[in-house]
């Protein structure tokens, strides 16, 4: 036990402290494991090599490898600064922002919005939306579990664990094809007890980039109906996947048309580049307005002892942009530019690898969609990428396409080829 | 289940939750169409004209941020903006605090006071051996909810004496004295919410000695630093006293009121540890609490705070504006006291000028409060708490009339 020397020790002895008071209450606290995703960027920043490449965390970069603030966001900020006060939002957040956000997910002219059947609250980006839902699920369906795809964003497991909702998994990624293991997925859906809760990625699955086709989504939706399952969509990449927000919300549209009462977590971190502002939305489609009011009030009860009310700034940016037709048009254009650049990098990476004469198939790079590519690299190969080539990625082989540029795609392809050519 | 929806909703049994008692006051106020209505409910500062206030220095900071093209909106680290964290710790503990100089403090950015309390509570529930927290009676309505949901067991200690409308110091010492070794104790650093009753420095010293002798763990809620007396240092004395004895404590800070950043949700949680390596391990565990809650905190408000705190000009400007807010509230207290005295309103009202901070615990009962709302369109929480910040020299007479009527007509 380390004792404090000097004055404070004398003070404590004088006031008759026992031995316990001499040591820290936290002496037995273990150092926690580093977050696998955010730890990658930390390591990257610490690397002095001029060749280093960060294809770790999923934040968009332009072709110069620089972070981007969208023009529509800059303009919105100019309009906001100096104009408004900073009063508390209601517990459920900005009504304006939520309204606009629901239109994106449920459709511009959604009958559900008109009929006020959606319980919706502003949330702290996608994480916060998922956590509110998980806590809500625990409170009102305490016997339920959540089915999570394999693999998924690592933090999904943390969220439902901290909400104390038991987790099960369902098949998703097929390592052999580097595509969707549709047959096993459907088996899992059929074998789950009726009325199970499922977490689905609406588009641009993280970390694999593998999405069901429209036909497959229809089959999944049908089977969900048969089994009475609850579908919770995490939609973190609307607009970012194909460049067209309406297209990226197709899976949700299919479920809504089939009559499912779904839940959705939406995030503006990527598609509006608002990462650090923490803006998102949680919505639950209910049977009627009365139920939506009740559900919303209960969601607010969960928010109150967590943060009281959500941050105003990011919400103002969103509602300023989406509420102004010109700014909204500009946003849609800028989202498409980001999506197109990523699609271009997918093509470039694949072509480079094929040109190098790689023995492996790299089709999956262009088949997959969104910010991430599940390269198929093993943890050992990933370690070689980092140690020999100063290329940083998560050990599951996930590459953030946004970190690839015309300037580094050749270097990256070379490195991948080196570590895989004898595989 | 409706025939339109063969599945029915999995949440169809959910009933509507009651309105939050504090935020519900503003909801009711907004619905009232009377031109003489007065909102003395939620604790947000209002100017003499009854308007919300954005500090000049905050506007300046905002302009700097918006005009800086190099600023991006990337994710903050899980623990938040590093500069903000350091400056916040200095603000509450003092720039020369040995705990800071010895790297024994871990500070994480939190979602204002609420979020900082919640993260601290979750950490204690997971890593501290004692899961009981003592909270004063009364306290901010959200406190018991935060601690309970984090998994702590909530007990109370006597605090407010309705007879004297002051501190029940004897009761406080008895109750803390009877607490089990190691229990957590929630302390309002200054400007107790909702009563406005604070211990004197001598009383704080006695509380400190008692707590340290029993190994009770202090958890400070500092939501009004600078806002209570007008002096940032004076309002932090209670906290600094505990840190000076070398012991451990937690402190949750909020910038909602003292920087007027309410809706930006800016705050910090600091844990003062015995040793630097302990502090670093503690930080790593705090990250595990935060990541599955919201991943990382919002950047805007923290950037404003950091911009102001690190620039001596802006810092000074802030202290001046802060003192002006505190002074206006103190003058409202005096005005209200004088108005009640002038009306010959029965009872001793000196607690109005003895209490400190944004709130006054009037001592009015729920019937009297309901009467004031119905007949005079005055909105306050049913425990008789009024937000002095919502008063102006123009509206004090109306309030005094209402209190006079309530006290003389309703026992």
């Amino acid at each position: 036990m380390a004792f404090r020397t000097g004055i404070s020790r004398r003070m404590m002895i004088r006031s008759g402290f026992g031995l316990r008071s001499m040591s820290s209450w936290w002496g037995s606290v273990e150092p926690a494991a580093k977050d696998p995703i955010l730890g990658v960027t930390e390591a990257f920043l610490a690397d002095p090599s001029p060749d280093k490449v960060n294809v770790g965390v999923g934040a968009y970069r332009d072709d110069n490898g620089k972070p981007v603030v969208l023009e529509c966001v800059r303009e919105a900020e100019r309009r906001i600064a100096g104009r408004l006060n900073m009063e508390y939002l209601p517990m459920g957040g900005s009504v304006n922002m939520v309204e606009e956000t629901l239109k994106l997910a449920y459709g511009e002219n959604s009958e559900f919005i008109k009929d006020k059947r959606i319980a919706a609250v502003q949330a702290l980006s996608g994480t916060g939306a998922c956590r509110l839902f998980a806590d809500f699920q625990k409170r009102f369906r305490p016997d339920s579990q959540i089915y999570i795809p394999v693999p998924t964003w690592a933090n999904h497991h943390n969220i439902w664990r901290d909400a104390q909702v038991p987790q099960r998994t369902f098949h998703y990624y097929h390592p052999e094809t580097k595509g969707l293991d549709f047959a096993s997925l459907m088996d899992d859906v059929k074998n789950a007890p009726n009325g199970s809760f499922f977490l689905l990625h609406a588009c641009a699955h993280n970390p694999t980039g593998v999405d069901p086709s429209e036909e497959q989504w229809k089959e999944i939706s049908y089977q969900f109906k048969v089994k009475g399952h609850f579908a919770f969509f995490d939609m973190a990449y609307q607009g970012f996947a194909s460049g067209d927000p309406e297209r990226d919300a197709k899976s949700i549209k299919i479920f809504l048309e089939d009559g499912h009462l779904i839940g959705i977590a939406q995030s503006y971190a990527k598609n509006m580049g608002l990462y650090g502002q923490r803006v998102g939305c949680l919505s639950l489609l209910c049977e009627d307005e009365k139920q939506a009011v009740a559900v919303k009030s209960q969601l607010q009860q969960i928010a109150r002892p967590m943060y009281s009310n959500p941050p105003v700034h990011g919400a103002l940016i969103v509602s300023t942009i989406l509420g102004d037709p010109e700014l909204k048009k500009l946003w849609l254009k800028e989202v498409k530019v980001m999506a197109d650049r990523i699609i271009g990098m997918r093509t470039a990476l694949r072509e480079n690898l094929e040109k190098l004469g790689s023995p492996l198939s790299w089709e999956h790079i262009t088949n997959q969609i969104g910010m991430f590519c599940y390269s198929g690299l093993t943890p050992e190969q990933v370690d070689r990428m980092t140690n020999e080539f100063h290329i940083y990625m998560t050990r599951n082989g996930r590459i953030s396409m946004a970190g690839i540029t015309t300037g580094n795609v050749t270097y990256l392809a070379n490195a991948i080829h080196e570590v895989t050519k004898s595989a | 289940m409706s025939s339109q929806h063969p599945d029915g909703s999995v949440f169809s049994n959910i009933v509507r939750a009651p309105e939050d008692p504090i935020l519900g006051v503003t909801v009711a106020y907004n619905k009232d169409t009377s031109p003489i209505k007065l909102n003395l409910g939620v604790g947000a500062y209002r100017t003499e004209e009854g308007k919300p206030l954005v500090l000049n220095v905050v506007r300046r900071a905002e302009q700097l941020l918006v005009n800086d093209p190099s600023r991006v909106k990337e994710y903050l680290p899980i623990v938040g903006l590093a500069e903000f964290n350091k400056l916040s710790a200095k603000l509450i503990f003092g720039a020369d605090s040995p705990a800071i100089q010895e790297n024994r403090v871990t500070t994480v950015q939190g979602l204002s006071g609420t979020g900082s309390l919640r993260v601290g509570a979750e950490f204690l529930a997971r890593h501290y051996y004692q899961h009981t927290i003592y909270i004063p009676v009364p306290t901010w309505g959200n406190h018991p909810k935060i601690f309970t949901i984090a998994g702590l067991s909530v007990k109370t200690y006597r605090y407010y004496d309705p007879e004297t409308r002051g501190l029940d110091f004897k009761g406080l010492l008895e109750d803390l004295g009877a607490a089990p070794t190691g229990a957590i104790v929630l302390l309002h650093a200054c400007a107790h919410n909702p009563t406005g009753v604070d211990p004197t420095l001598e009383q704080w010293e006695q509380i400190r000695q008692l707590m340290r002798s029993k190994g009770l763990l202090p958890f400070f809620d500092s939501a009004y630093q600078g806002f209570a007396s007008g002096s940032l240092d004076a309002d932090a004395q209670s906290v600094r006293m505990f840190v000076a004895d070398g012991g451990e404590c937690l402190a949750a800070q909020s910038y909602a009121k003292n920087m007027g950043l309410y809706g930006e949700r800016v705050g910090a949680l600091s844990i003062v540890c015995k040793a630097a390596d302990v502090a670093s391990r503690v930080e790593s565990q705090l990250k595990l609490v935060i990541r599955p809650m919201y991943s990382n905190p919002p950047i805007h408000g923290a950037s404003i705070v950091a911009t102001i705190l690190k620039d001596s000009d802006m810092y000074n400007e802030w202290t001046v504006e802060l003192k002006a807010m505190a002074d206006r509230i103190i003058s409202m207290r005096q005005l209200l006291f004088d108005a009640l005295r002038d009306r010959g309103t029965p009872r001793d009202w000196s607690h109005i000028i003895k209490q400190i901070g944004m709130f006054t615990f009037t001592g009015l009962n729920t019937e009297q409060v309901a009467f004031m709302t119905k007949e005079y369109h005055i909105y306050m929480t049913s425990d008789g708490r009024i937000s002095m910040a919502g008063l102006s020299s123009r509206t004090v007479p109306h309030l005094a009339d209402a209190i006079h009527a309530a006290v003389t007509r309703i026992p």
Side-chain angles (χ1 to χ4, degrees):
Chain A
M1 231 170 346
F3 284 14
R4 282 188 59 74
T5 55
I7 293 175
S8 47
R9 180 181 178 211
R10 289 201 293 278
M11 261 176 71
M12 287 192 276
I13 289 173
R14 206 176 28 221
S15 28
F17 278 116
L19 223 63
R20 171 178 270 295
S21 317
M22 299 295 279
S23 63
S24 171
W25 292 124
W26 321 119
S28 59
V29 171
E30 292 295 314
K34 275 197 181 302
D35 183 282
I37 302 173
L38 305 176
V40 169
T41 294
E42 275 182 36
F44 167 82
L45 289 170
D47 185 332
S49 162
D51 300 323
K52 63 181 180 177
V53 177
N54 186 359
V55 283
V57 77
Y60 181 79
R61 296 281 178 274
D62 64 14
D63 199 46
N64 297 312
K66 298 271 175 283
V68 169
V69 177
L70 302 187
E71 252 322 296
C72 61
V73 169
R74 288 229 186 271
E75 176 56 27
E77 288 226 287
R78 279 190 283 267
R79 295 187 195 180
I80 291 167
R83 249 200 346 110
L84 298 157
N85 62 52
M86 289 160 170
E87 294 286 280
Y88 292 124
L89 282 177
M91 279 185 286
S94 159
V95 168
N96 255 339
M97 190 280 272
V98 167
E99 263 174 28
E100 292 295 337
T101 304
L102 293 183
K103 285 190 205 160
L104 282 179
Y106 293 85
E108 194 73 31
N109 301 304
S110 163
E111 61 185 279
F112 306 122
I113 298 179
K114 290 200 183 75
D115 295 343
K116 302 193 194 232
R117 282 178 48 197
I118 307 175
V121 294
Q122 180 182 338
L124 288 150
S125 210
T127 307
C130 286
R131 178 58 180 269
L132 279 184
F133 176 74
D135 280 353
F136 178 80
Q137 181 187 356
K138 177 65 181 179
R139 186 171 287 188
F140 292 101
R141 295 299 298 241
D143 299 330
S144 67
Q145 304 137 342
I146 185 81
Y147 280 79
I148 295 185
V150 177
T152 193
W153 179 48
N155 206 26
H156 279 144
H157 293 292
N158 300 332
I159 292 168
W160 268 271
R161 179 204 63 220
D162 273 19
Q164 295 176 41
V165 174
Q167 301 175 31
R168 291 221 178 328
T169 57
F170 65 93
H171 287 84
Y172 191 86
Y173 179 68
H174 203 172
E176 284 77 52
T177 60
K178 298 190 185 58
L180 186 66
D181 187 353
F182 188 58
S184 304
L185 185 159
M186 291 305 283
D187 278 345
D188 288 345
V189 169
K190 287 173 191 156
N191 293 329
N194 290 355
S196 294
F197 284 64
F198 277 77
L199 169 70
L200 303 169
H201 296 225
C203 64
H205 180 270
N206 176 0
T208 68
V210 169
D211 285 350
S213 66
E214 202 173 308
E215 273 319 301
Q216 289 171 327
W217 273 122
K218 287 187 173 141
E219 281 194 53
I220 296 169
S221 171
Y222 175 78
Q223 197 55 44
F224 266 54
K225 267 179 75 171
V226 169
K227 298 285 299 182
H229 291 331
F230 180 89
F232 185 71
F233 285 94
D234 185 353
M235 183 157 68
Y237 299 98
Q238 187 184 12
F240 209 93
S242 69
D244 176 1
E246 219 177 288
R247 196 162 137 201
D248 289 345
K250 191 67 174 144
S251 57
I252 289 174
K253 186 154 184 240
I254 288 168
F255 271 67
L256 292 174
E257 278 168 358
D258 281 352
H260 292 286
L261 297 173
I262 62 176
I264 309 178
Q266 289 169 267
S267 164
Y268 286 102
K270 287 85 170 172
N271 64 9
M272 238 185 235
L274 295 179
Y275 307 94
Q277 304 288 348
R278 319 310 295 129
V279 210
C281 178
L282 166 67
S283 61
L284 291 171
L285 177 59
C286 301
E287 282 172 333
D288 53 40
E289 182 179 351
K290 178 155 174 259
Q291 193 182 95
V293 167
V295 167
K296 179 179 170 176
S297 74
Q298 295 293 350
L299 291 173
Q300 290 175 176
Q301 290 292 307
I302 295 174
R304 178 61 160 153
M306 204 186 278
Y307 48 83
S308 282
N309 41 72
V312 66
H313 191 73
L316 270 181
I317 295 175
V318 172
S319 46
T320 300
I321 292 171
L322 296 184
D324 175 322
E326 285 308 308
L327 278 184
K328 184 169 179 181
K329 229 166 65 181
L330 175 57
W331 171 58
L332 290 171
K333 223 175 80 181
E334 294 189 275
V335 162
K336 190 162 190 318
V337 164
M338 290 195 286
D340 284 348
R341 192 183 92 67
I342 285 181
I343 291 167
M345 287 301 101
R346 287 183 177 278
T347 307
L349 180 61
R350 176 182 165 180
E351 281 177 356
N352 267 276
L353 283 163
E354 287 168 353
K355 243 192 301 196
L356 286 166
S358 170
L360 306 172
S361 163
W362 297 100
E363 259 182 29
H364 55 285
I365 296 181
T366 46
N367 286 339
Q368 292 166 7
I369 191 170
M371 184 154 335
F372 301 112
C373 163
Y374 229 38
S375 59
L377 292 177
T378 65
E380 294 70 36
Q381 290 168 336
V382 169
D383 289 343
R384 282 189 64 194
M385 294 282 286
T386 306
N387 298 331
E388 294 172 38
F389 297 94
H390 306 275
I391 294 173
Y392 291 81
M393 55 179 32
T394 45
R395 282 188 98 232
N396 54 10
R398 182 191 88 164
I399 295 178
S400 169
M401 301 308 295
I404 304 181
T405 67
T406 49
N408 64 26
V409 66
T410 315
Y411 178 72
L412 179 63
N414 274 328
I416 294 175
H417 181 57
E418 278 304 306
V419 309
T420 57
K421 61 188 180 185
S422 48
Chain B
M1 292 207 291
S2 155
S3 56
Q4 272 179 293
H5 314 287
D7 317 80
S9 168
V10 295
F11 302 117
S12 46
N13 59 325
I14 285 170
V15 294
R16 186 174 183 169
E19 284 281 1
D20 180 281
I22 301 173
L23 304 176
V25 169
T26 295
V27 170
Y29 168 85
N30 287 335
K31 291 200 180 115
D32 188 332
T33 52
S34 161
I36 56 165
K37 65 179 181 176
L38 191 52
N39 188 358
L40 302 179
V42 78
Y45 183 81
R46 293 286 176 268
T47 62
E48 176 66 19
E49 294 73 35
K51 297 265 179 284
L53 176 68
V54 178
L55 303 185
N56 278 331
V57 73
V58 166
R59 285 271 182 250
R60 264 178 69 191
E62 262 201 319
Q63 281 303 322
L64 285 173
L65 294 172
V66 104
N67 291 328
D68 181 358
S70 72
R71 280 199 58 75
V72 291
K73 303 200 184 317
E74 297 282 284
Y75 292 122
L76 283 178
I78 299 175
V79 297
L81 189 60
E83 206 177 35
F84 166 85
N85 291 339
K86 284 198 161 50
L87 292 163
S88 293
K90 286 209 186 117
L91 184 66
I92 184 85
F93 299 120
D96 53 357
S97 169
I100 294 180
Q101 280 159 11
E102 292 159 18
N103 290 319
R104 294 190 287 111
V105 182
T106 178
T107 305
V108 297
Q109 184 183 336
L111 291 156
S112 208
T114 307
S116 304
L117 288 165
R118 175 65 178 270
V119 169
E122 294 271 348
F123 171 80
L124 291 172
R126 289 172 203 207
H127 297 287
Y128 187 56
Y129 78 104
Q130 252 286 12
H131 289 176
T132 304
I133 182 164
Y134 282 76
I135 65 177
V137 179
T139 193
W140 181 45
N142 207 18
H143 276 144
K145 295 181 191 171
I146 294 170
F147 299 124
T148 304
I149 199 130
L152 297 175
S153 152
V154 174
K155 289 198 162 32
T156 58
Y157 62 93
R158 278 169 284 171
Y159 191 84
Y160 178 70
D161 185 349
E163 302 288 310
T164 61
R165 294 191 193 58
L167 184 65
D168 180 0
F169 192 49
K170 184 158 168 293
L172 183 157
L173 290 176
E174 270 173 29
D175 288 347
L176 291 188
T181 306
I184 309 157
V185 180
L186 177 75
L187 302 165
H188 294 227
C190 70
H192 179 271
N193 175 2
T195 68
V197 169
D198 285 348
T200 62
L201 281 179
E202 292 73 32
Q203 289 171 327
W204 271 121
E205 171 58 19
Q206 279 188 261
I207 295 170
R208 184 197 67 77
Q209 280 184 23
L210 171 64
M211 286 182 61
R212 292 311 197 192
S213 72
K214 291 192 57 77
L216 302 177
L217 180 66
F219 194 160
F220 283 98
D221 184 355
S222 173
Y224 299 97
Q225 187 186 3
F227 208 95
S229 69
S231 157
L232 288 158
D233 288 325
D235 288 348
Q237 275 317 299
S238 58
V239 177
R240 293 180 190 181
M241 204 180 273
F242 276 76
V243 175
D245 69 15
E248 298 179 319
C249 68
L250 284 78
Q253 287 167 273
S254 165
Y255 290 94
K257 287 83 172 173
N258 63 7
M259 249 194 225
L261 293 175
Y262 306 94
E264 303 292 346
R265 318 312 291 131
V266 210
L269 170 74
S270 286
I271 302 187
V272 179
C273 309
K274 284 285 171 75
D277 80 290
V278 174
S280 129
R281 281 182 275 135
V282 164
E283 183 187 271
S284 71
Q285 292 293 347
L286 289 172
K287 284 155 96 166
L288 293 192
V289 170
I290 294 169
R291 177 64 159 154
M293 223 185 250
Y294 50 86
S295 280
N296 41 72
I299 189 172
H300 189 71
S303 304
I304 293 175
V305 173
T307 301
I308 293 171
L309 293 184
K310 73 181 183 189
D311 177 301
S312 58
D313 246 3
M314 294 183 87
Y315 181 92
N316 287 333
E317 189 179 338
W318 175 46
T319 61
V320 169
E321 290 191 84
L322 184 50
K323 188 163 190 314
M325 288 196 286
D327 284 348
R328 194 183 91 68
I329 285 180
I330 290 168
S331 71
M332 289 304 106
R333 290 182 175 280
Q334 193 63 51
L335 277 184
L336 180 60
F337 174 77
D338 292 345
L340 290 169
R341 186 202 53 206
D342 293 346
R343 281 160 182 69
T345 309
R347 292 210 219 148
D348 176 10
W349 295 100
S350 60
H351 56 284
I352 293 180
I353 44 181
K354 286 188 208 153
Q355 292 167 6
I356 193 170
M358 194 171 303
F359 302 110
T360 291
F361 227 38
T362 55
L364 297 163
N365 62 40
T366 40
E367 288 77 31
Q368 291 163 333
V369 169
F371 167 83
M372 286 170 62
T373 305
K374 186 155 178 289
E375 303 297 327
Y376 286 81
H377 304 275
I378 292 179
Y379 290 82
M380 59 206 309
T381 45
S382 57
D383 56 3
R385 180 192 89 163
I386 54 174
S387 169
M388 305 308 289
L391 281 172
S392 69
S393 48
R394 198 180 43 83
T395 54
V396 161
H398 177 57
L399 176 61
D401 289 340
I403 293 176
H404 186 89
V407 162
T408 49
R409 284 194 234 171
I410 298 175

